[in-house]
Amino acid sequence: MIILTIPVLFPSVMALDLWASTRRQAICVRILVLCVVEFGLIAPPVGLNVYVINSLARDVPMSEPIAA
């Protein structure tokens, strides 16, 4: 996911020139992208963790980890 989004996201955010230092802006963009990707992997609707839990506990239905 990061490999697909960074080539598009990073240059466009760097062109906005939000902070005084470009190095600081680059670090903030990287941290933001990591947080967004981490949340996307944890979030219940299509979270990767739901599939991992389901593969470990075969007797638990797929909808139960989502509801919990």
Side-chain angles (χ1 to χ4, degrees), residues 2-62:
I2 293 176
I3 293 173
L4 292 173
T5 57
I6 286 294
V8 175
L9 182 70
F10 189 74
S12 58
V13 172
M14 291 301 289
L16 292 175
D17 197 27
L18 299 173
W19 292 283
S21 167
T22 57
R23 182 175 177 174
R24 181 176 177 193
Q25 184 173 353
I27 292 171
C28 288
V29 169
R30 291 173 189 164
I31 291 171
L32 179 67
V33 167
L34 284 176
C35 289
V36 167
V37 169
E38 181 181 340
F39 182 73
L41 289 174
I42 294 173
V46 290
L48 185 64
N49 292 341
V50 173
Y51 297 109
V52 171
I53 290 171
N54 192 350
S55 68
L56 292 174
R58 295 276 182 193
D59 56 337
V60 177
M62 184 73 109

